[in-house]
Each structure stands twice: as structure tokens, then as C-alpha cells.
Amino acid sequence: MGMRLDRLLSELSPKMSRKQCRDAIRAGRVSVDGAAVRDPERKTDPEAETVALDGIAFSYARFRYFLLNKPAGVLSASRDKKQKTVLDLIPGIDPEKYFPVGRLDIDTEGFLLITNDGALAHELLSPKKHVPKTYHAVCRGVLTEEDCAKLSAGIDLGDFVTAPAKAGILRKGDTETVLFLTITEGKFHQVKRMVQAVGSEVTALRRVSMGGLSLPDDLPAGHYTELTTAEIARIRISEEN
Ligand code: URA
């Protein structure tokens, strides 16, 4: 596994020819994890090892993926003149290049992916891909299994009928019910509108997963973790596909 060091170096230094790369390696100017490597054919794993030329390390990760536990009160946007945005919570990344994958309402918390990978964002948001997104919704009043059946079957919201979903009761009290809802669409205020359509109201909403990737239990609101490509791939793995 891995990539030949001379090939990697030429990818990382587009101004150097393949021969210049090989010569630089043979001359001992290139190190892997701090140790000089003089073999141009040496296999390296650019995601796991640090490659440096003349002591200056390259950052190989062209695309980066952050999983943020979005707190309420922060806008799902890259920049805003007045309000704090989710990008403000990840120091050191350029808001010109990074963006949230989809939007959560300002008062919604939980799973939000932030990346500079436009193709992945497009894929995950495409209605055709049906990436399931699971929410926990605190709802006013007492909701029943019948309400969940209606939510699961698809519900007429006036301007559109929701696609089949999964809904169930997580906790039931005298004055509120906590539901889980897994939807494959992402229309504006969709969960809130679905819950309204069964006669209740969402008082707190949190997204807990997307595809096969869940928000870690130990990630507090306002904190983020950088994902590996293997973790990102789990988003595409779901029960549906
Ligand atoms: N549905 C909503 O109503 N709000 C969100 O933020 C996400 C899904």
C-alpha cells in the first residue's frame, strides 16, 4: 500500500520534474516522519506519514472533513456580517474554501459536516442519494405510535409530500415526547414541519447521524473532530444501501 515517494513528491511539488524529485530524494533532501529517505521507490502513506523537503513538511490533505457538534445560536454558513457562524468554531480554516454540508436551523444542534470537498457535499446533499439523516426531536405534548406511523408513511405538508421515513418514540413524558426521525430529504424546516403536521411542535432539535456516521457521545456542543477518509466513507453506508 501507499504511494512511491518520487510520485508523491512530484504531486506535492508541481514545479519539480519527476527527475528533479528523484534527485532530491537521492540527495537526502526528503524525509519521511523526520528521517531522510533516499530511495525514490519507497512507499509512503501520505495521510499517515509526514513528508518534508529540505525540512519543510507538506500538508497532503487536499480535502479535509470536520464533524462539528453544532451548538444552538450559531449560523450554518461560512460567513455572516452579524452572527457567529459554524466556521468561526473551527479556527485556522479559510471561510472562502470551507463550508457546511447542508444547513441546520440556527436553533438546531448536532451533526454538521464542514469541508472544502465540493464534490462530496454535492453527493451527500443530492436528493437522489437518499442519505439518511437522523434527528432527535423534543416535541410538545404527547405523541403516539399512530403519529409515528403517519410520519413514517410520508406526510402532506401542502407544498410537498415527504418521502417514507422512520419515526419512533424515544421517551414519553406528561408534557413532552422525544422522537427519533430518520429522513432522506432535507427540505427547509422539514422535521419541524412534519411534527407540526401531526399536531405538535418541536421545542429542541438535534441531528445525531448522517448515513452510517454518528455524532460521538463524547463530543460536546461547540466542539469538532477531524474525520479520516475511512470515517467519511461511513456516511455512505446506511441500512438503505
Ligand atoms: N429539520 C428542521 O426542521 N430543522 C433543521 O435544522 C433540520 C431539519
Side-chain angles (χ1 to χ4, degrees):
M1 284 292 287
M3 193 190 279
R4 276 175 60 139
L5 187 57
D6 57 354
R7 201 182 130 216
L8 176 64
L9 186 63
S10 72
E11 259 192 47
L12 295 169
S13 307
K15 289 194 184 129
M16 289 170 74
S17 68
R18 253 304 178 69
K19 179 170 184 313
Q20 285 173 324
C21 290
R22 277 195 295 272
D23 290 346
I25 293 166
R26 289 197 183 103
R29 292 170 58 200
V30 176
S31 65
V32 177
D33 282 342
V37 171
R38 289 167 186 270
D39 176 7
E41 291 185 27
R42 151 81 141 80
K43 290 281 202 296
T44 51
D45 177 357
E47 297 214 15
E49 299 171 297
T50 302
V51 176
L53 173 65
D54 297 331
I56 299 168
F58 292 100
S59 161
Y60 181 74
R62 190 154 69 101
F63 294 128
R64 297 177 73 187
Y65 310 90
F66 299 92
L67 173 55
L68 173 71
N69 185 354
K70 177 191 173 298
V74 175
L75 206 64
S76 290
S78 294
R79 275 205 292 214
D80 192 79
K81 288 206 177 75
K82 295 194 192 111
Q83 276 167 305
K84 190 169 177 170
T85 72
V86 290
L87 266 287
D88 293 328
L89 297 174
I90 306 183
I93 63 167
D94 181 355
E96 297 278 347
K97 297 193 180 127
Y98 286 78
F99 49 86
V101 178
R103 280 166 187 263
L104 291 177
D105 297 337
I106 190 143
D107 55 353
T108 301
E109 301 182 349
F111 189 118
L112 188 66
L113 203 60
I114 290 160
T115 185
N116 56 346
D117 183 348
L120 179 92
H122 186 261
E123 184 191 326
L124 296 180
L125 296 176
S126 158
K128 287 192 206 114
K129 295 284 174 176
H130 304 296
V131 175
K133 290 155 280 253
T134 298
Y135 294 84
H136 289 178
V138 182
C139 306
R140 219 182 276 289
V142 177
L143 291 172
T144 61
E145 294 298 342
E146 290 86 85
D147 293 319
C148 291
K150 285 187 208 160
L151 291 167
S152 304
I155 209 156
D156 192 349
L157 295 179
D159 50 344
F160 78 106
V161 179
T162 62
K166 282 185 196 153
I169 295 171
L170 290 173
R171 277 199 311 280
K172 209 166 176 168
D174 296 337
T175 56
E176 65 179 29
T177 310
V178 183
L179 297 186
F180 79 84
L181 253 163
T182 304
I183 59 174
T184 56
E185 305 159 296
K187 300 261 169 42
F188 189 55
H189 295 330
Q190 182 162 341
V191 171
K192 291 176 185 166
R193 293 181 64 201
M194 288 171 78
V195 168
Q196 252 170 20
V198 293
S200 175
E201 188 194 352
V202 171
T203 57
L205 187 61
R206 180 177 158 77
R207 183 158 65 188
V208 296
S209 68
M210 216 167 156
L213 188 65
S214 300
L215 197 63
D217 289 336
D218 58 355
L219 188 66
H223 289 240
Y224 64 88
T225 172
E226 187 161 2
L227 301 176
T228 63
T229 42
E231 286 170 316
I232 278 291
R234 290 199 354 231
I235 295 185
R236 298 197 187 85
I237 303 167
S238 65
E239 289 163 35
E240 269 91 331
N241 52 34

